[in-house]
Amino acid sequence: MAINKIGREIPDYIEGIGELKSYEGPFSVEPAKRRFGRKISTITPKQSKILEDIEQAIIETGLKDGMTISFHHHFREGDYIINMVVDTIAKLGIKNITLAPSSLNSVHAPIIEHIKNGVITKIETSGLRGSLADAISKGILEYPVKIRSHGGRARAIEAGDVKIDVAFLGVPACDEYGNANGHSGKSFCGSLGYAKVDAQYADKVVLITDNLVPYPNVPASIAQTDVDFVVKMDAIGDPKGIVSGATRYTKNPRELLIAKYAATVIKESGYLADGFSMQCGTGGASLAVARSIKQTMIEKDIKASFALGGITGQFVEMLEEGLINKLYDTQCFDLTAAKSIGTNPNHVEIDAGFYANPHNKGCAVNVLDIVILSALEVDTEFNVNVITGSDGVLRGASGGHCDTAAGSKLSIIVAPLIRGRIPTIVENVNTVITPGETIDVVVTDRGIAVNPLRTDLIEKLSKTNLPIFTIEELKEKAEKIAGKPKAIQYGEKIVALVEYRDGTIIDVIKEVK
Amino acid sequence: MAINKIGREIPDYIEGIGELKSYEGPFSVEPAKRRFGRKISTITPKQSKILEDIEQAIIETGLKDGMTISFHHHFREGDYIINMVVDTIAKLGIKNITLAPSSLNSVHAPIIEHIKNGVITKIETSGLRGSLADAISKGILEYPVKIRSHGGRARAIEAGDVKIDVAFLGVPACDEYGNANGHSGKSFCGSLGYAKVDAQYADKVVLITDNLVPYPNVPASIAQTDVDFVVKMDAIGDPKGIVSGATRYTKNPRELLIAKYAATVIKESGYLADGFSMQCGTGGASLAVARSIKQTMIEKDIKASFALGGITGQFVEMLEEGLINKLYDTQCFDLTAAKSIGTNPNHVEIDAGFYANPHNKGCAVNVLDIVILSALEVDTEFNVNVITGSDGVLRGASGGHCDTAAGSKLSIIVAPLIRGRIPTIVENVNTVITPGETIDVVVTDRGIAVNPLRTDLIEKLSKTNLPIFTIEELKEKAEKIAGKPKAIQYGEKIVALVEYRDGTIIDVIKEVK
């Protein structure tokens, strides 16, 4: 057992998982490995890649007991692929599989049955939601889930920490030789940024599509040179669950107040200058901050060099209006963004490694100026929880949270001080996804706290009319209103390991009683 | 010593090179390795990649005696990079370097001095020309040069047969973080298809540019995540040597006759159907064939799915006219092509691995229907020489010759029967680059020969008025006019090894006396 840099107890070793390294700071790991190389396999000129169905694909890839399979989460709650593939693996009698998708959603509840019947014995993912998350929090899996950030997953795959035997990737448009993108078809999702990494590193790659298009399907997010097999099906997802319509602006006065404060912090920080860059979430407050930034940009004739991350229609609009020069997109968050990426050459698809892998020669978050992030909880060390609820149950995703916080020049958390009568600012967060030393400012509806490490920002912001407090003062305000939150009753079993983007363990999550 | 499948004597082992495998047929090698993984190295958020000059870059990369350096040949005869870098390496006292560019040109003659002074001791390249090629043919290098095809080089790099310690890549447009393309700037060259492979596999990557542009420079041929350092210079090449103006159509009656025959072969072959694909060279006859194909396409309302390879303005025109759906471009052969790739989204840049690596999951030549290729010599086994002249001296490049011949459904050699009083069709070619079993038809101004392996084509073409002969008959025709060519007087020393695309040795080239 070790105590890591943020004071969490981390086991040195877990049976079935191996040795664990403790988190020692955001840039403390110097990578010493070589990049992972998948098995070279070749397809000769007259060989077809088209297979009948998923069952044939599983057989042809040689999938066996104990192997690792991967998927992407671009179809979100509309995804059919994971359940179909795992059902078929179960039917074929294959067991003891590690499920390593880029993320999991509520729609993947049927995986519970495949954990019970021994088909799935390990899971590695960015997020978990719904009844599958509940079951895991209650200890249904023998081995702890590994939670990784988007950049951390790309790092792990590129370093060979995750060795994908077979990637099963749903693709909205694909030709017979495996050139695929997310631009068209009934299941269109826009960027395939997470899938790109799997396609490049998995030993075997199976594309599953409901939209076979003529060769060559270019520009391609996934290239023929990475694809072993193509399976055509009637439906790979539910369009209603894949992309949401246009994002609505919040009218919630509390969110609007948070946004107003955050926008002022940004303006006063000095980072809102010509050529700046930004990433925003999809929450009401985040979007309202972006809208306010846009107003300032127009008034002061400021242009952004790029916007990054999951992209919304709001950024697409700003791109089209000439306020943003380029969009770097790993994941399209709405219909407008998904449509834009297929048509606007300045809306550029990037993979998760380019986005946020800390162990390449310079990922995009490294050059990000401003990021607006959400939080379930923030503690007095500025550590942030975005994965476990106030009941200690898994219900979120690591996503790009810790990646962008580490890379950006100004990371801002926007959150209400109290949420459903539960304080957001607490003594100790249940689970740390993002270490406090990478968080610069916390903005709530009842006040703003600046990380004491950022004396430059404290100096700048203390000259304004903003309601600046220490983080302890915010915590006390919250407790005064909602009371001190009751400690969660955890069991002894570790149900999840939270891996920091560099591969060290920043926290563990225990079973809820 | 072994005799390979085409009857050439191949040593089992060469000191300083290692064991050699003999060529055993175009698809005989089943790869068993893992893809090469370069050393993982990381750049943290505030780190700059900009260096003062090439000298600083060499020092920062840690280049040492015995290492391998690589370059691309997209600047052709206008390239300043290779000479500048090797001069600086020499100045720093570093010796015993392996020079592994994608190709070498006449402009690289100064390398002769660096061979003499022990800086460069090994060379691996696709081609060699001018006085450097002469000197190597005379035995100036201790170890034989390795000649690789474009697909073979990508294979070798991806398999780790060539381990690049430092790639020095000249880029016409680049931002400070290393996103680069060939689309703009005074040294613009269009596609950077060969450079892309080096950037992805070299341990250290240095970009050298004369055109620093604002971040982010996208779409990028080379991504920031692959780049360690960026050096800005006044000039990286001579624009006049980099891209030639618009290609002129030939008026040579012999070339026009060859083109007429070849176009008829294509029409009668059955491959000129809607959705077909093609690659053509830049020779007068090749371009004239393409022009004739274009006429047929218009008359019969046939559209091509894609054109491949080095791309000329002729194909760009056909793309713009809607006759070709997409261009897959590793290298822009003229000004029109170089301009188009930066502006037309259907003109798609591909890397050499996607183009022709036989050991990935399906390269582009695998789905190529028709290729028109040139030849210095063809022998009665249909083996083709494109690298040594009638004097046995190196004067060409392997290029994509053997790659496209192996992948395509119809490979056609166009060549005059006699060239400068020397027969083109001979008993035995001096050097085999492309094995005869991958060549389907040889078209000369005095007759056409079809490979006996292609009984289907013989049947189809014998029904036409085309002057069909056996390859032996063509050889005799040539000898009747020009006499039997005198055997070249070679010495014993092997000056070059010709590697087939799969990594086996198809031929050796000996010193000329």
Side-chain angles (χ1 to χ4, degrees):
Chain A
M1 196 70 83
I3 307 290
N4 72 9
K5 197 185 177 197
I6 57 159
R8 302 279 161 147
E9 287 189 349
I10 310 296
D12 303 314
Y13 180 86
I14 290 181
E15 192 60 43
I17 298 288
E19 285 184 15
L20 304 180
K21 281 188 189 163
S22 286
Y23 169 77
E24 294 302 336
F27 299 102
S28 62
V29 174
E30 193 65 45
K33 283 188 181 184
R34 286 191 170 272
R35 206 159 55 171
F36 177 70
R38 67 152 157 236
K39 281 182 201 153
I40 294 174
S41 64
T42 175
I43 281 170
T44 48
K46 281 159 196 170
Q47 223 172 312
S48 164
K49 296 186 180 183
I50 297 285
L51 297 181
E52 273 300 301
D53 53 26
I54 288 176
E55 184 173 325
Q56 200 194 354
I58 293 168
I59 294 166
E60 291 288 332
T61 58
L63 188 76
K64 287 186 186 63
D65 288 15
M67 284 189 168
T68 296
I69 58 174
S70 84
F71 303 87
H72 68 70
H73 72 287
H74 290 287
F75 296 160
R76 287 167 277 252
E77 292 294 355
D79 180 54
Y80 291 171
I81 301 281
I82 296 184
N83 294 337
M84 286 194 300
V85 169
V86 179
D87 282 351
T88 314
I89 288 172
K91 197 182 130 195
L92 289 168
I94 301 167
K95 303 265 178 185
N96 193 22
I97 291 292
T98 297
L99 180 65
S102 54
S103 204
L104 288 165
N105 285 292
S106 303
V107 71
H108 301 119
I111 296 300
I112 295 171
E113 285 312 305
H114 295 303
I115 293 173
K116 288 183 184 163
N117 64 25
V119 173
I120 302 297
T121 46
K122 289 180 187 169
I123 295 179
E124 315 196 356
T125 179
S126 171
L128 282 163
R129 289 182 181 86
S131 52
L132 174 59
D134 290 344
I136 285 167
S137 278
K138 284 180 187 141
I140 193 180
L141 259 180
E142 186 179 346
Y143 303 108
V145 169
K146 274 193 194 166
I147 303 289
R148 289 199 179 91
S149 71
H150 290 328
R153 181 177 189 265
R155 181 207 59 73
I157 292 171
E158 294 186 18
D161 293 353
V162 185
K163 290 188 181 96
I164 304 169
D165 294 293
V166 188
F168 295 93
L169 305 172
V171 287
C174 182
D175 65 37
E176 294 204 346
Y177 216 49
N179 297 291
N181 61 36
H183 301 171
S184 67
K186 61 184 176 183
S187 306
F188 87 103
C189 61
S191 176
L192 287 174
Y194 301 115
K196 284 165 79 83
V197 181
D198 302 47
Q200 288 166 46
Y201 287 87
D203 275 351
K204 293 285 173 187
V205 175
V206 178
L207 300 190
I208 305 170
T209 191
D210 51 12
N211 180 33
L212 218 46
V213 300
Y215 186 93
N217 182 35
V218 284
S221 310
I222 295 171
Q224 62 184 51
T225 45
D226 288 325
V227 176
D228 292 275
F229 302 112
V230 176
V231 176
K232 166 81 165 64
M233 302 196 68
D234 290 338
I236 58 171
D238 175 6
K240 288 195 293 290
I242 295 176
V243 279
S244 57
T247 322
R248 292 237 187 95
Y249 289 119
T250 183
K251 287 178 178 172
N252 179 323
R254 201 170 59 164
E255 288 186 339
L256 289 172
L257 183 61
I258 295 169
K260 190 185 133 191
Y261 287 155
T264 309
V265 167
I266 290 167
K267 276 177 241 176
E268 300 294 339
S269 71
Y271 293 113
L272 188 59
D274 212 42
F276 83 106
S277 59
M278 62 181 156
Q279 175 170 336
C280 289
T282 52
S286 279
L287 289 169
V289 177
R291 187 161 44 145
S292 175
I293 291 176
K294 179 177 170 176
Q295 274 316 312
T296 310
M297 289 170 73
I298 294 169
E299 285 159 21
K300 299 196 173 173
D301 195 24
I302 291 169
K303 304 271 190 288
S305 58
F306 70 99
L308 178 66
I311 295 293
T312 59
Q314 193 170 18
F315 279 159
V316 171
E317 206 173 80
M318 290 169 76
L319 176 75
E320 288 168 358
E321 291 166 357
L323 292 167
I324 298 175
N325 188 22
K326 308 277 176 183
L327 300 181
Y328 267 154
D329 189 342
T330 47
Q331 180 179 11
C332 298
F333 276 141
D334 58 27
L335 195 67
T336 312
K339 280 183 178 167
S340 159
I341 201 168
T343 53
N344 190 332
N346 293 316
H347 187 160
V348 180
E349 182 173 295
I350 59 171
D351 67 43
F354 186 98
Y355 173 47
N357 174 2
H359 292 171
N360 62 28
K361 296 176 189 290
C363 58
V365 301
N366 277 8
V367 286
L368 181 63
D369 289 326
I370 302 162
V371 64
I372 318 291
L373 294 164
S374 64
L376 293 170
E377 296 176 310
V378 183
D379 69 22
T380 50
E381 299 292 326
F382 288 81
N383 297 313
V384 181
N385 171 23
V386 288
I387 194 114
T388 48
S390 57
D391 51 2
V393 175
L394 288 157
R395 62 176 51 169
S398 173
H401 202 284
C402 71
D403 298 309
T404 51
S408 62
K409 294 192 181 70
L410 177 63
S411 62
I412 299 176
I413 299 291
V414 290
L417 188 69
I418 313 281
R419 192 187 266 121
R421 300 196 183 166
I422 295 165
T424 303
I425 314 294
V426 296
E427 182 77 36
N428 275 299
V429 290
N430 287 325
T431 309
V432 178
I433 289 289
T434 298
E437 61 192 300
T438 63
I439 297 296
D440 297 313
V441 184
V442 176
V443 177
T444 75
D445 50 324
R446 307 281 184 115
I448 297 163
V450 182
N451 192 321
L453 294 171
R454 293 301 303 265
T455 49
D456 58 328
L457 284 176
I458 292 172
E459 199 191 322
K460 276 179 183 153
L461 298 179
S462 60
K463 289 174 191 158
T464 68
N465 293 326
L466 287 167
I468 306 287
F469 299 92
T470 66
I471 191 83
E472 289 80 9
E473 286 168 339
L474 287 188
K475 187 205 77 170
E476 280 155 27
K477 270 172 180 277
E479 285 180 0
K480 210 169 271 175
I481 301 163
K484 217 179 172 81
K486 262 200 289 187
I488 297 162
Q489 294 301 305
Y490 287 110
E492 275 311 301
K493 182 176 180 177
I494 293 174
V495 298
L497 299 169
V498 181
E499 201 179 273
Y500 190 60
R501 62 199 297 252
D502 63 4
T504 61
I505 305 300
I506 193 161
D507 208 348
V508 301
I509 301 172
K510 293 192 172 172
E511 67 183 319
V512 288
K513 279 189 175 164
Chain B
M1 196 71 80
I3 307 290
N4 73 9
K5 198 187 176 196
I6 57 160
R8 302 279 162 148
E9 287 189 351
I10 310 296
D12 303 316
Y13 180 86
I14 290 182
E15 193 60 43
I17 298 287
E19 284 182 17
L20 303 180
K21 280 187 190 164
S22 285
Y23 169 76
E24 294 302 335
F27 298 102
S28 63
V29 174
E30 192 66 44
K33 283 189 179 181
R34 286 191 169 273
R35 204 159 57 173
F36 178 71
R38 69 154 157 233
K39 280 182 200 154
I40 294 173
S41 64
T42 175
I43 282 171
T44 49
K46 282 159 195 168
Q47 223 171 312
S48 164
K49 296 186 181 183
I50 298 284
L51 297 182
E52 273 300 301
D53 53 26
I54 289 175
E55 182 172 327
Q56 199 193 356
I58 292 168
I59 294 166
E60 291 288 332
T61 59
L63 188 76
K64 287 186 186 63
D65 287 14
M67 284 188 169
T68 296
I69 58 174
S70 84
F71 303 86
H72 68 70
H73 71 286
H74 290 286
F75 297 160
R76 286 167 280 251
E77 291 294 355
D79 180 55
Y80 291 171
I81 301 282
I82 295 183
N83 294 337
M84 286 194 301
V85 170
V86 179
D87 282 351
T88 313
I89 288 172
K91 194 180 133 196
L92 289 168
I94 301 168
K95 302 263 177 186
N96 192 21
I97 291 292
T98 298
L99 181 65
S102 54
S103 205
L104 288 166
N105 286 292
S106 304
V107 71
H108 302 120
I111 297 300
I112 295 171
E113 284 312 305
H114 295 302
I115 293 173
K116 288 183 185 163
N117 65 24
V119 173
I120 301 297
T121 45
K122 289 180 187 167
I123 294 179
E124 316 196 358
T125 180
S126 171
L128 282 162
R129 290 181 180 86
S131 52
L132 175 59
D134 289 343
I136 285 167
S137 279
K138 284 179 189 142
I140 194 181
L141 259 180
E142 186 178 346
Y143 303 108
V145 169
K146 275 193 193 165
I147 303 289
R148 289 197 179 91
S149 72
H150 291 328
R153 179 176 191 266
R155 182 208 58 74
I157 292 171
E158 294 186 18
D161 292 353
V162 185
K163 290 190 182 95
I164 303 168
D165 294 295
V166 188
F168 295 93
L169 304 172
V171 287
C174 182
D175 64 38
E176 294 204 347
Y177 217 48
N179 297 291
N181 60 37
H183 302 172
S184 67
K186 62 183 175 182
S187 306
F188 87 104
C189 61
S191 176
L192 287 174
Y194 300 116
K196 284 165 80 84
V197 182
D198 302 47
Q200 287 166 46
Y201 288 87
D203 276 351
K204 292 286 172 186
V205 176
V206 178
L207 301 190
I208 305 169
T209 192
D210 51 13
N211 180 34
L212 217 46
V213 300
Y215 186 92
N217 181 34
V218 284
S221 310
I222 295 171
Q224 63 184 49
T225 46
D226 287 324
V227 176
D228 293 275
F229 302 112
V230 176
V231 176
K232 166 81 166 65
M233 302 196 68
D234 290 336
I236 57 171
D238 175 5
K240 287 194 293 291
I242 296 176
V243 280
S244 56
T247 322
R248 293 238 187 96
Y249 289 118
T250 183
K251 287 179 180 171
N252 178 324
R254 199 169 61 163
E255 287 186 339
L256 290 173
L257 183 61
I258 295 170
K260 191 185 133 194
Y261 288 154
T264 310
V265 167
I266 289 167
K267 275 177 239 174
E268 300 294 338
S269 72
Y271 293 114
L272 188 59
D274 212 42
F276 83 106
S277 59
M278 61 181 158
Q279 175 168 336
C280 290
T282 52
S286 280
L287 289 169
V289 177
R291 189 162 41 147
S292 175
I293 291 177
K294 178 177 170 178
Q295 275 315 311
T296 310
M297 290 170 71
I298 293 169
E299 284 159 20
K300 299 197 172 174
D301 195 24
I302 291 169
K303 305 270 191 291
S305 58
F306 69 99
L308 178 66
I311 295 294
T312 59
Q314 192 170 18
F315 279 160
V316 170
E317 206 173 79
M318 290 170 75
L319 176 75
E320 288 169 358
E321 290 165 357
L323 291 168
I324 299 175
N325 188 23
K326 308 277 176 182
L327 300 181
Y328 267 154
D329 189 342
T330 47
Q331 181 178 12
C332 299
F333 276 140
D334 59 27
L335 195 67
T336 312
K339 279 183 178 167
S340 160
I341 201 168
T343 54
N344 190 331
N346 294 316
H347 187 159
V348 180
E349 182 174 295
I350 59 171
D351 67 43
F354 186 98
Y355 172 48
N357 174 2
H359 292 171
N360 62 28
K361 296 175 189 290
C363 58
V365 301
N366 277 7
V367 286
L368 182 62
D369 289 325
I370 302 161
V371 64
I372 318 291
L373 294 165
S374 63
L376 292 171
E377 294 176 311
V378 183
D379 70 21
T380 50
E381 299 292 326
F382 288 80
N383 295 314
V384 182
N385 171 22
V386 288
I387 194 113
T388 47
S390 57
D391 51 2
V393 174
L394 288 157
R395 63 175 52 170
S398 173
H401 202 283
C402 71
D403 298 310
T404 51
S408 62
K409 295 190 182 67
L410 177 64
S411 62
I412 300 176
I413 298 291
V414 290
L417 187 70
I418 313 280
R419 194 187 266 121
R421 300 196 181 165
I422 295 166
T424 303
I425 315 293
V426 296
E427 183 76 34
N428 276 300
V429 291
N430 286 326
T431 309
V432 179
I433 289 290
T434 298
E437 61 191 303
T438 63
I439 297 295
D440 298 311
V441 185
V442 175
V443 177
T444 74
D445 51 324
R446 307 282 183 113
I448 297 163
V450 182
N451 191 322
L453 294 170
R454 293 301 302 266
T455 49
D456 59 326
L457 283 176
I458 291 172
E459 198 191 323
K460 277 178 182 153
L461 298 179
S462 59
K463 291 175 191 158
T464 68
N465 293 325
L466 287 167
I468 307 287
F469 300 91
T470 66
I471 191 85
E472 289 79 11
E473 286 169 340
L474 287 188
K475 187 205 78 171
E476 280 154 27
K477 272 174 178 277
E479 285 180 1
K480 211 170 273 175
I481 301 164
K484 219 178 169 85
K486 264 200 289 185
I488 298 162
Q489 294 302 307
Y490 287 110
E492 275 311 300
K493 182 176 181 177
I494 294 174
V495 298
L497 299 168
V498 181
E499 200 178 274
Y500 190 61
R501 63 199 296 252
D502 64 4
T504 61
I505 305 301
I506 194 161
D507 208 349
V508 301
I509 302 172
K510 293 192 173 173
E511 66 184 318
V512 288
K513 278 188 179 168

